[in-house]
């Protein structure tokens, strides 16, 4: 979303009961509504929530139109953003998690209504003129000047600076882009693909509960010759080929023919998205050109650290070149292992072989059993791990507080307060971690309300929700595999960014940073999930209470590193696909299947399977268009921070003090390059053709990519 709302935001000023002075008080247990908003006691309350947000925002627009002082303009603009975001963020969280269909429907309607109002705000010239006036005021504080600049740039991303005819066309294209993105993502869900396997014996018994039985007539058989109707049926299984299921099957299917069928089918749906993607590329390209840019990538990147597609491509090509030798070695090792196992000395390694043989190689080398690993990670112990982490690093208590009647959306939800002994309460965190019917299967961080300075004595505390989809029941308690533990720590990194930031404006609160910096805290906290000094504080066997053995963690780390270059190469390839598809266009249009095939041949060790088009269910093309490279930026930044700041003593107060005061507390209020240099010193970023790229040395050292 462009203009006033850049990522996600916070809460309505009128609900002043939500504004806290930074001292610890017992939370109010009075009846309230969802997330503490009194409007949301009932589903219909979303209508009133929107009405009040629009009414307050219009009052502020009229105030801004009167051209008050520059600081007052920025403060009023930030309150508009805060007010509108409270509805958007609450509606999004409700849509993804609420078990009551009426709540979900009303949240969806509220989201649509507030987005229509955003169109009015984003094309309001009174606001635009006021922001331009404020931006020219040299007496503003550094953060206020930065806010003015970003507000002006965000408004211009919507086309407010264009002539009326071009602005009308830009608005039409914006609506088309939103609809195409929705269509693309809906197709992924509604057309996951499937493959039918006969006979049933080709599917291992341990996988039968993941598949659906099917039956077919045996060729050549007849009712007369075989007697009963049932005797002419052959049993088979239908495999759904949605991505996570497909990956699990490819890992466990010994039959190469079945693997091939599943791989080809899973990477050839949804076919309808080939056309949708062509339209999305063309529409984004026209929009970007209307804005005065050569490509959508150039439009999307001009306000990021990278600043241009040329800088991103130079980074990706350098990474591709550096990782290639190690990735080729890994490919050859997998191929040789396959030849040995299959008894075919000249057998070729195919894309559908990767998951199966890498899993076999890891199992043979490290003797890992996923159920044994999970026995050390019962969900309550993992939450305890988060508590120990914040107490050790930041001297902050992390304890559960009662939920007021009406505040929660499900009995599984926990509410946590972060409390500092001298600063008071720092913010609130809702944990909704278990899977359930009707809950969207995502792992995400939702900023319900951003932090901001309300007055000299009052600070609006951040409120966030951490949503995961871990499976279990009252009969089989939730135990996490280590990938899920890593995911929990990743999302908690985002949550800490929101909870510990202390910005003047909610527009910069927590994760509201430039795209290619946003994933850095989450990647950094993934490293905490792999360090034995951290794991031994909470990873304890669910029945014996024994601490996870150090040798087991060493084996897990070893297995993770086995094919790390292959995985890194895959991420580089994905980022190159994203950049190329949204880069400069030819006048005749381009075949996305051919582009993807060419890039795979150039930048990976693996062959492309003709006719497949995995990219038609790569949802990042919609929500990260031309920005997928940011995951690789974050990986480089986080690795350097871990090695230079955290690795020696990851749980010390000194480590936490550096992370909090030099990094997390600034949110988006400070230039990312300044944050990184201040935290680490030189050697974390490099200037490149007017933009900034990460230094890759730390990542290369960790992955042993460079020869010494």
């Amino acid at each position: 979303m462009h203009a006033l709302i850049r990522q996600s935001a916070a809460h309505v000023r009128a609900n002043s009961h939500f504004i806290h002075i930074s001292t610890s008080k017992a939370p109010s247990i009075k009846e309230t509504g969802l997330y503490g908003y009194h409007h949301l006691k009932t589903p219909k309350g979303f209508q009133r929530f929107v009405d009040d947000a629009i009414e307050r925002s219009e009052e502020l627009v009229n105030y801004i139109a009167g051209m008050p002082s520059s600081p007052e303009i920025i403060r009023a603009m930030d309150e508009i953003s805060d007010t509108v975001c409270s509805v958007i963020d609450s509606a999004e969280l409700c849509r993804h998690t609420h078990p009551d269909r009426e709540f979900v429907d009303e949240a969806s309607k509220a989201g649509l209504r507030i987005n229509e109002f955003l169109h009015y705000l984003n094309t309001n010239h009174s606001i635009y003129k006021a922001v331009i006036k404020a931006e020219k005021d040299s007496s503003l504080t550094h953060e206020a000047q930065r806010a003015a600049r970003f507000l002006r740039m965000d408004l211009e991303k919507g086309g407010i600076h264009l002539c009326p005819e071009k602005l009308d066309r830009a608005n039409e294209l914006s609506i088309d882009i939103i609809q195409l993105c929705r269509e693309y993502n809906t197709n992924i869900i509604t057309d996951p693909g499937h493959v039918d396997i006969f006979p049933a014996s080709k599917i291992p018994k341990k996988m039968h509960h993941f598949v659906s039985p099917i039956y077919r007539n045996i060729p050549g058989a007849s009712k007369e010759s075989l007697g009963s109707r049932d005797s002419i049926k052959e049993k088979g299984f239908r495999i759904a080929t949605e991505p996570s299921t497909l990956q699990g099957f490819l890992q466990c299917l010994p039959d190469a023919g079945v693997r091939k069928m599943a791989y080809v089918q899973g990477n050839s749906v949804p076919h309808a998205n080939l056309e949708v993607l062509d339209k999305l590329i063309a529409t984004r390209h026209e929009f970007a050109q209307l804005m005065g840019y050569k490509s959508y990538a150039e439009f999307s990147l001009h306000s990021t650290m990278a600043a241009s597609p040329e800088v991103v491509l130079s980074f990706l090509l350098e990474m591709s070149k550096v990782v290639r030798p190690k990735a080729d070695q890994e490919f050859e090792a997998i191929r040789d292992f396959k030849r040995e196992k299959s008894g075919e000395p000249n057998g070729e390694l195919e894309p559908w072989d990767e998951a199966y043989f890498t899993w076999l190689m890891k199992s043979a080398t490290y003797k890992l059993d996923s159920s044994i690993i999970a026995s050390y990670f019962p969900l309550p112990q993992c939450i305890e791990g988060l508590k120990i982490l914040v107490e050790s690093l930041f001297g902050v208590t992390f304890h559960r507080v009662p939920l007021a009647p009406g505040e929660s959306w499900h009995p599984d939800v926990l509410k946590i307060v972060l409390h500092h002994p001298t600063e008071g309460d720092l913010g609130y965190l809702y944990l909704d971690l278990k899977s359930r019917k009707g809950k969207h299967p995502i792992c995400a961080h939702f900023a319900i309300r951003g932090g901001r300075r309300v007055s000299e004595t009052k600070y609006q505390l951040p409120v966030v929700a951490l949503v995961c989809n871990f499976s279990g029941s009252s009969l089989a308690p939730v135990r996490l595999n280590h990938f899920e533990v890593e995911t929990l720590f990743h999302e908690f990194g985002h949550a800490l960014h929101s909870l510990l930031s202390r910005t003047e404006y909610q527009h910069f609160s927590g994760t509201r940073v430039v795209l290619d910096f946003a994933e850095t805290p989450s990647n950094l906290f993934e490293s905490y999930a792999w360090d034995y000094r951290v794991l031994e504080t909470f990873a304890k066997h669910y029945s014996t209470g024994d601490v996870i053995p150090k040798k087991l963690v060493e084996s897990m780390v070893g297995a993770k590193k086995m094919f790390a270059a292959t995985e890194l190469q895959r991420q580089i390839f994905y980022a190159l696909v994203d950049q190329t598809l949204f880069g400069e266009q030819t006048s005749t249009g381009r075949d996305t299947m051919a582009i993807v095939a060419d890039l795979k041949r150039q930048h990976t060790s693996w062959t492309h399977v003709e006719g497949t088009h995995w990219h038609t269910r790569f949802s990042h093309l919609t929500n990260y268009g031309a920005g997928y490279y940011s995951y690789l930026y974050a990986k480089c930044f986080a690795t350097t921070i871990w090695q230079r700041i955290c690795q020696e003593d990851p749980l010390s107060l000194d480590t936490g003090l550096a992370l909090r005061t030099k990094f997390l507390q600034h949110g988006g209020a400070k230039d990312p390059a300044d944050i990184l240099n201040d935290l680490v010193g030189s050697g974390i970023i490099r200037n490149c053709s007017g933009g900034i790229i990460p230094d890759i040395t730390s990542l290369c050292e960790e992955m042993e990519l460079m020869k010494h």
Side-chain angles (χ1 to χ4, degrees), residues 256-543:
V258 176
R259 287 201 307 272
K260 179 179 179 180
M261 289 170 66
Y263 176 91
V264 171
Q265 174 59 28
N267 287 284
S268 302
V269 288
H271 198 269
N273 272 356
L274 285 167
E275 185 179 352
V276 176
L277 182 58
D278 284 344
K279 288 178 181 175
L280 179 61
I281 290 168
T283 308
R284 279 178 166 171
H285 184 65
E286 184 186 345
F287 181 84
Q289 291 204 309
L290 203 60
M291 296 292 169
Y293 295 90
K294 286 186 292 187
S295 67
Y296 185 76
E298 187 179 77
F299 164 77
S300 181
L301 298 177
H302 80 277
S303 59
T304 62
M305 296 178 76
S308 74
E310 290 75 24
V311 170
V312 173
L313 285 170
S314 71
F315 166 72
L316 293 175
L317 293 174
E318 178 189 16
M319 290 284 287
S320 180
K321 186 177 179 181
V322 169
V323 80
R324 187 65 186 249
K326 184 85 178 282
D328 283 345
Q329 284 177 15
E330 292 177 359
F331 179 88
E332 288 162 11
I334 303 165
R335 185 192 61 200
D336 293 346
F337 182 83
K338 178 191 174 182
R339 287 174 174 176
E340 181 189 339
K341 281 288 179 186
S342 64
E344 299 173 11
N346 297 312
E348 292 302 321
L349 185 62
E350 304 291 353
W352 52 84
D353 293 326
E354 181 186 355
Y356 180 67
F357 286 106
T358 54
W359 178 76
L360 279 184
M361 290 173 77
K362 288 181 178 186
S363 300
T365 306
Y366 292 104
K367 307 292 189 291
L368 290 175
D369 183 325
S370 58
S371 64
I372 290 174
I373 294 170
S375 69
Y376 290 97
F377 294 108
L379 183 57
Q381 280 301 119
C382 294
I383 295 171
E384 180 69 14
L386 303 181
K387 176 184 176 181
I388 292 166
L389 188 64
V390 296
E391 288 181 354
S392 302
L393 275 174
F394 308 115
V396 168
T397 59
F398 176 103
H399 57 88
R400 188 172 170 181
V401 292
L403 284 146
E407 183 179 1
S408 178
W409 54 101
H410 192 272
D412 286 343
V413 174
L414 305 178
K415 185 180 182 182
I416 307 293
V417 62
L418 264 67
H419 179 79
H420 191 278
T422 59
E423 298 171 43
D425 292 347
L426 299 179
Y428 294 95
L429 172 67
Y430 294 108
L431 295 176
D432 182 3
L433 302 179
K434 298 179 186 178
S435 63
R436 58 179 175 268
K437 188 177 179 182
K439 181 181 175 183
H440 201 284
I442 57 164
C443 293
H445 153 268
F446 290 84
I448 300 171
R449 188 179 75 227
R452 69 186 181 110
R453 175 71 51 199
V454 178
S455 71
E456 288 187 12
T457 57
K458 291 184 180 179
Y459 193 83
Q460 175 176 288
L461 294 184
V463 179
V464 301
L466 202 164
V467 177
C468 289
N469 205 47
F470 304 140
S471 57
S473 67
S474 54
L475 297 175
V478 180
R479 295 180 200 133
L480 309 190
N481 61 49
H482 192 262
F483 172 76
E484 291 173 324
V485 176
E486 185 184 63
T487 298
L488 178 63
F489 274 66
H490 175 103
E491 299 302 340
F492 190 59
H494 283 309
L496 285 176
H497 204 183
S498 292
L499 292 166
L500 297 180
S501 80
R502 282 299 177 269
T503 57
E504 286 291 305
Y505 306 108
Q506 73 81 36
H507 203 64
F508 291 140
S509 179
T511 55
R512 296 181 183 90
V513 297
V514 293
L515 179 70
D516 43 14
F517 189 53
E519 293 292 332
T520 304
S522 53
N523 272 262
L524 175 64
F525 279 90
E526 283 182 23
S527 295
Y528 277 84
W530 288 96
D531 192 286
Y532 184 71
R533 292 165 293 181
V534 178
L535 294 178
E536 70 175 341
T537 66
F538 73 90
K540 296 174 183 176
H541 196 278
Y542 72 93
S543 64

Side-chain angles (χ1 to χ4, degrees), residues 4-12 37 78 80-90 446-451 460 462-464 498 506-509 511-512:
L4 289 173
I5 318 303
R6 296 209 323 281
Q7 289 190 18
S8 64
H11 135 99
V12 180
Y37 291 124
D78 193 61
I80 293 174
S81 183
D82 189 43
T83 301
V84 172
C85 285
S86 65
V87 180
I88 291 173
D89 294 331
S90 300
F446 290 84
I448 300 171
R449 188 179 75 227
Q460 175 176 288
V463 179
V464 301
S498 292
Q506 73 81 36
H507 203 64
F508 291 140
S509 179
T511 55
R512 296 181 183 90

Side-chain angles (χ1 to χ4, degrees), residues 145-215:
Q145 285 179 328
R146 185 171 170 82
R149 185 168 81 256
F150 272 85
L151 284 163
R152 191 255 309 155
M153 287 164 58
D154 292 339
L155 285 163
E156 288 176 356
K157 279 184 180 177
I160 196 168
H161 58 301
L162 300 175
C163 68
E165 294 79 15
K166 285 187 176 181
L167 179 56
D168 286 345
R169 180 59 182 155
N171 289 332
E172 288 173 10
L173 292 169
S174 294
I175 293 165
D176 290 345
I177 288 167
I178 291 168
Q179 290 174 336
L180 287 165
C181 289
R182 282 183 182 166
E183 185 180 352
Y184 184 93
N185 289 316
T186 299
N187 288 343
I188 292 171
I189 295 167
T190 58
D191 184 14
H194 68 268
V195 61
D196 294 340
I197 305 299
F198 290 96
S201 59
K202 289 187 175 182
I203 304 295
K205 283 188 177 178
K206 64 181 179 180
M207 305 184 74
H208 285 188
H209 62 293
F210 291 117
V211 294
S212 305
I214 52 172
Y215 299 88

